[in-house]
Amino acid sequence: MVSALWTPYDPADTSGGRLEPPGPEHWLGTDRLGRDLLTQLMIGARVALSIGAGAVALGGALGLLAGIAAGFAVRWLDDMMAVVLDLLIAFPTLLLAMLVIAARRGSLLSAVTAIGLAMTAVVARPARQQVKRVLAQDYVTAARTSGTSWPGIVAGHVLPNIWPALAVNLALQLGRAVLAEAGLSYLGLGPPPPNASWGHMLREAQATVLVAPGDIVAPGLLLVLLVIGVNLLADGVREVADPLLRGRW
């Protein structure tokens, strides 16, 4: 990302005039504190993608482990885990993330942990179904009969067969993680300053929407475009991962 290497101004620089219109010095103008709006948007993109990717990695790892464990569990334990996953999925993701952050100080790590834990069940439930489908195949039965260990079955048969669906699901969860981060920041539970967040920018720009509408339009538009781009990425992953879709081209 460009913002990791360069930004037009320091994120904490308030030397610009308050709510200046776009011009040669500040291409998109400034916010109500005199900070360069383009710089804030670039930092917000870095924060959104960093938290989204971290949350997807954490939720994906925990969800995959839970799904595999449920797939290999005995029937009564599998049924109990399925009920727990259904309850967690029914619980609002944002509210669950708020409960996690309430027990910790707001930070990048807290946001990643909260959103990652909230999406664990969303990843675990389809992973469990995919694992059980693979374990019911004849080639898995033959592998077990020949003495292949459970880790060998997971590495040699389960993971190669469930990764297409898992990859598509994780790509979709990235968009949801970005929206969750924006929601937490809008409520004041996101990363603290000087970390800029699109959700926090939307919250601050409400007070000056009539004077400087660009301050609220820009982060909102970027958030929408990012989520659309992530959904398109998920479609691309689906086409690459699904052999039936690859056969169309």
Side-chain angles (χ1 to χ4, degrees), residues 109-196:
L109 181 58
S110 296
V112 169
T113 303
I115 299 173
L117 292 177
M119 71 169 54
T120 297
V122 182
V123 176
R125 183 178 182 182
R128 165 185 169 270
Q129 296 172 345
Q130 293 291 327
V131 170
K132 293 181 73 66
R133 177 184 61 81
V134 173
L135 293 179
Q137 302 300 313
D138 293 338
Y139 56 82
V140 174
T141 303
R144 294 173 59 182
T145 303
S146 64
T148 304
S149 63
W150 288 117
I153 291 177
V154 172
H157 299 288
V158 174
L159 293 180
N161 284 282
I162 71 171
W163 83 263
L166 179 64
V168 172
N169 189 14
L170 292 180
L172 290 173
Q173 296 311 314
L174 178 58
R176 296 178 181 177
V178 169
L179 287 176
E181 183 276 328
L184 289 174
S185 296
Y186 182 84
L187 296 173
L189 299 175
N195 296 301

